[in-house]
Amino acid sequence: MSEKPLTASRAEKLKTVCRSAVGDSCRSVTYFDATNYMQVYLRDDLEQDADLMSFIGHEWHDYKTTTDAYAGSELGKYRYSIRVFENGFLVRVGRGDRGVFVTTDGLKLKDFDSLVAAISELFESWE
């Protein structure tokens, strides 16, 4: 991994936006781009043993595959993905060559929509 992909202030803002959107249900927040990644939040009750590099590789590849596969379909523009696991959820939001995945405890669909809207607004403010 080369230099950090986010400044400390942007990392803190991303963490704050995600935690504000979903509260204590937020388990972790990881930012990634085409060459790097940075975990900006990990809830205190969780182990820091996840293979983030592997997760990023899969999420980055899947994001590109998904956006390419559905481009121009009648479904409209791709917005985000939710992956459901035994112990929680992973929400992936991408924009251009960057993205974020947030792991959470159980949420309702409207909570995921709020989280994605907050992250999307933040990404827009960084452009």
Side-chain angles (χ1 to χ4, degrees), residues 7 16 21-22 42 49 63 65 71 76 91 95 107-108 114 117 124:
T7 63
T16 301
V22 296
L42 180 66
D49 62 352
Y63 169 71
T65 301
V91 180
R95 185 175 188 116
L107 296 174
K108 294 185 177 359
S114 296
E124 283 180 26

Side-chain angles (χ1 to χ4, degrees), residues 48-99:
Q48 190 163 2
D49 62 352
D51 180 5
L52 291 178
M53 182 59 96
S54 178
F55 288 180
I56 298 300
H58 289 289
E59 292 305 323
W60 181 254
H61 176 73
D62 189 56
Y63 169 71
K64 297 302 275 177
T65 301
T66 301
T67 55
D68 290 348
Y70 295 101
S73 81
E74 60 191 39
L75 292 171
K77 185 178 174 187
Y78 168 83
R79 293 185 50 220
Y80 63 94
S81 294
I82 301 171
R83 299 187 191 288
V84 180
F85 297 92
E86 182 179 345
N87 295 320
F89 299 86
L90 183 145
V91 180
R92 182 191 67 232
V93 182
R95 185 175 188 116
D97 65 350
R98 65 180 177 233

